[in-house]
Amino acid sequence: MNPDLSPFPLKIRRVHLDTGRENVVVISRRSKALRADIFRGFSRVELRLDDKTVLATLLITDDDALAAQDEIGLSEPAFHRFGKPVGTLVTVAPAAPPESLEAVRAKIRGRTLDQAEIGAIINDLAHFRYSDMEIAAFLIGSASFITSDELLALTGAMAQVGTQLVWPDPIVVDKHCIGGIPGNRTSMVVVPIVAAHGLPIPKTSSRAITSPAGTADTMEVLARVNVGVEEMKSIVSSCNGCLIWGGHVNLSPADDVLISVERPLSLDTREQMVASIMSKKIAAGSTHLLIDIPVGPTAKVTSAIDAMRLRKLFEFVGDRFGRSVEVITTDGRQPIGNGIGPVLEANDVMAVLGNEVDAPHDLREKSLRLAAHLLEYDPKLRGGAGYARARELLENGAALKQMQKIIDAQGPSKCSAELGPISFDVKAAHDGVVSAIDCLRLNRLARTAGAPLDKGAGIRLFKKIGDRVEQGEPLYRVYTFDGPEHDLAASAARQETGYVLNGHEPLQSRTPS
C-alpha cells in the first residue's frame, strides 16, 4: 500500500453540523497526520476503531474551528453513528467503494438483478455505505424497470435489515394510507377503536417528509412517540395498540435511506412505493393489512386505473409473503378533517373521539369505515357487523378511553399544543360554490407556514367541496409563528388559494413534489 494512504490516527472532534442522513467528516488542509492533498482524490473515507467502522464523505477545511491539525471533525450524524467520545483516536483511510455498486451499474445498464445482489445493495444502504449520488443511481435504475422477482427481493431484503417484530397473537392488524391528502389522520381514530375491541394493532407511523404532518408528528402533540422496541411491546401488551414513530424502532431502515433521496427526485414509482410500505409492515409483524388509496386530481393516485394497478401489486406482494392484504380506494378530492398541521389535526382527532358536536364528519365517517374493515378480521365478529361495532365503540366512549390509555402508556408529550399566534384568513374572491380543492397546494402552503417543525402552524379549513361562499367570506385561516413565515405563506396564498369556485380558477393536475 502507498504509505501516503495508510491508516492514520486522529482525535475525534464533534462538529455541530446537521448533514441530514449523510455521514460527513472534516480534516484540516494542514493536517500533520494526513496528506490532505492525497485524500482530496477520494470522496469517501473509512473511520475505524477496533471492530467499529463508519464510512463518510470527506471535506477538507482551512478552519481550525472545524478540525485542528491533529483532529477529524464528525458531523452530528457521523458522531452519533460512530458512538465514540470526543478525543478518541481513530484511524482514517480511503474507503473502497461497496462491492454492491457493481450490481447498481448493472441495473443501470438494464440487467435484472438476483436476490443476492439486491440483498447486498440493501444491506449497504442500511449501513450508510452509499453516498446520495450512489443511492440516486440505484433509484433511477430501478425506476426504469423492475421485475416481479426484483420487487419481491427488494421487499424481503428491506424487511430483513433492521428490527423484525414478532407478536404472540395469530391476528395482528394494521392499516396504511399511501398519503398525499392533508389532514387524513384516520389512524389516530382507528387504532383506539380497534384496540378497544381487543384486536392488536401495533401502529408504527412516519414523520412528515414533504407533507405538513405525518401521523407521528400529530400523535406527538398528545404523547411521546420515540418509543423503543421493548417498551413498544409492553404498551401493545397492555393497550392492544400504540401510535409511535417507526424510525425509533428501526423498521426497514434502508427504506428511510431511500426515501430521503427518492422524494426530492420525485421517483415515487408504484413498485418502490409497494416495497417501501410492505417491507415495514412485514418487519412490524402485521398479519392482516388494510391499504387506503385516496384517488383524486391532486392526490398521489389520480385515476381508478392507476389505483387498480397499485392494488394488484400490493396483493401480489402480500400473497407471496403470507400477509392478508385488503386494498380500498377512498375519496381523495379534498382534505379530510378541518385542520392541516399537527396541533390542528390532533384537535380534530380528539373531537371525533370525544363525539363533539363540531367534530369533522368526514374524518369520523372515514375512520369508522376503515375500522370496520379491520374489525371484520376478528373471527368472532359476524360478517357485516364491523361498522356497527366500530360506531358503538366510538359513541359509547370506549375508543376515547382506549386512546387515553395509549397516551398514558406512551408518556407525556414535550411538545406545545398552542396554535401559532400570527394568523391570516384567505377569503373568497367572489360568490360561488366550492367545486375543487388542490390538496398538493394546501400541503405546500401549510409547510410554508412552518408545519410540521412548528406543531401549531398550519391551516384551519372553513369550506369544503359543495359549500356555498360569498365574496370576502373566509375559505381558511393560516397560522404561523413568526413574521417571515407569515409573509411567505401570505404571498403564496395570494398567488393561488388552492380553491376553485364554480370553475373560475383552474385546478392544476398533480405535479411531483
Side-chain angles (χ1 to χ4, degrees), residues 219 223-224 227 231-232 234-242 244 402-412:
M219 184 63 184
R224 184 169 57 96
V227 172
E231 190 178 5
M232 174 191 179
S234 175
I235 293 168
V236 174
S237 176
S238 62
C239 302
N240 291 327
C242 65
I244 68 170
Q402 196 71 18
M403 181 59 149
Q404 192 57 58
K405 187 176 180 181
I406 292 171
I407 290 171
D408 291 342
Q410 291 184 199

Side-chain angles (χ1 to χ4, degrees), residues 35-268:
R35 289 277 305 279
D37 55 334
I38 296 290
F39 271 73
R40 189 167 50 194
F42 297 88
S43 62
R44 308 272 281 172
V45 293
E46 178 185 85
L47 280 66
R48 181 181 295 274
L49 178 62
D50 300 326
D51 60 346
K52 181 74 174 181
T53 62
V54 161
L55 270 66
T57 298
L58 175 68
L59 299 178
I60 298 170
T61 183
D62 294 309
D63 187 352
D64 287 345
L66 294 177
Q69 296 177 12
D70 60 345
E71 293 177 327
I72 183 164
L74 275 62
S75 68
E76 292 291 352
F79 182 79
H80 288 295
R81 287 170 188 149
F82 199 58
K84 302 297 180 182
V86 170
T88 302
L89 285 173
V90 298
T91 58
V92 186
E99 292 183 8
S100 64
L101 274 178
E102 186 53 45
V104 173
R105 297 186 188 99
K107 184 63 181 172
I108 293 171
R109 293 193 295 267
R111 181 165 69 77
T112 299
L113 303 183
D114 61 31
Q115 186 172 350
E117 290 172 317
I118 289 177
I121 292 170
I122 295 303
N123 185 64
D124 284 337
L125 282 171
H127 289 88
F128 305 99
R129 296 179 184 131
Y130 276 25
S131 68
D132 284 356
M133 186 183 300
E134 291 160 347
I135 296 169
F138 173 65
L139 286 169
I140 292 168
S142 299
S144 300
F145 83 99
I146 185 169
T147 67
S148 297
D149 286 341
E150 286 178 314
L151 172 58
L152 294 174
L154 181 62
T155 304
M158 290 167 65
Q160 290 168 15
V161 176
T163 303
Q164 297 180 67
L165 297 173
V166 178
W167 304 98
D169 308 272
I171 296 177
V172 178
V173 301
D174 203 349
K175 69 162 285 287
H176 185 88
C177 176
I178 67 168
I181 304 302
N184 192 28
R185 291 286 79 85
T186 54
S187 291
M188 292 176 63
V189 180
V190 170
V191 167
I193 290 175
V194 173
H197 176 75
L199 283 179
I201 179 165
K203 184 77 176 93
T204 60
S205 301
S206 61
R207 292 189 183 277
I209 297 176
T210 58
S211 71
T215 298
D217 299 303
T218 303
M219 184 63 184
E220 196 170 34
V221 174
L222 306 175
R224 184 169 57 96
V225 296
N226 292 350
V227 172
V229 173
E230 294 307 315
E231 190 178 5
M232 174 191 179
K233 291 180 178 179
S234 175
I235 293 168
V236 174
S237 176
S238 62
C239 302
N240 291 327
C242 65
L243 284 152
I244 68 170
W245 176 42
H248 205 68
V249 292
N250 201 37
L251 297 177
S252 188
D255 180 51
D256 296 328
V257 175
L258 288 172
I259 287 174
S260 69
V261 177
E262 177 181 280
R263 292 291 171 83
L265 294 175
S266 300
L267 287 173
D268 202 8

Side-chain angles (χ1 to χ4, degrees), residues 486-498:
H486 168 275
D487 294 344
L488 283 172
S491 175
R494 281 195 298 269
Q495 291 176 19
E496 174 57 69
T497 66

Side-chain angles (χ1 to χ4, degrees), residues 1 150 379 423 479:
M1 176 184 288
E150 286 178 314
S423 65
Y479 294 88

Side-chain angles (χ1 to χ4, degrees), residues 428-433 468-472 501-502 504:
H430 52 79
D431 295 351
V433 176
R468 179 170 293 280
V469 296
E470 297 179 359
Q471 182 178 1
L501 305 180
N502 289 343
H504 283 273

Side-chain angles (χ1 to χ4, degrees), residues 368-445:
L368 285 173
R369 287 189 288 114
L370 295 174
H373 281 275
L374 292 177
L375 292 178
E376 293 280 353
Y377 288 126
D378 182 357
K380 298 177 183 178
L381 197 67
R382 293 186 64 82
Y387 183 86
R389 176 60 173 157
R391 187 173 62 185
E392 175 191 8
L393 291 166
L394 180 63
E395 292 180 349
N396 68 14
L400 177 61
K401 183 178 179 181
Q402 196 71 18
M403 181 59 149
Q404 192 57 58
K405 187 176 180 181
I406 292 171
I407 290 171
D408 291 342
Q410 291 184 199
S413 169
K414 295 181 180 179
C415 300
S416 170
E418 298 297 319
L419 284 174
I422 307 173
S423 65
F424 64 91
D425 289 351
V426 175
K427 301 177 181 180
H430 52 79
D431 295 351
V433 176
V434 179
S435 57
I437 300 176
D438 190 326
C439 292
L440 182 60
R441 185 167 292 279
L442 290 186
N443 266 337
R444 288 174 173 169
L445 180 60

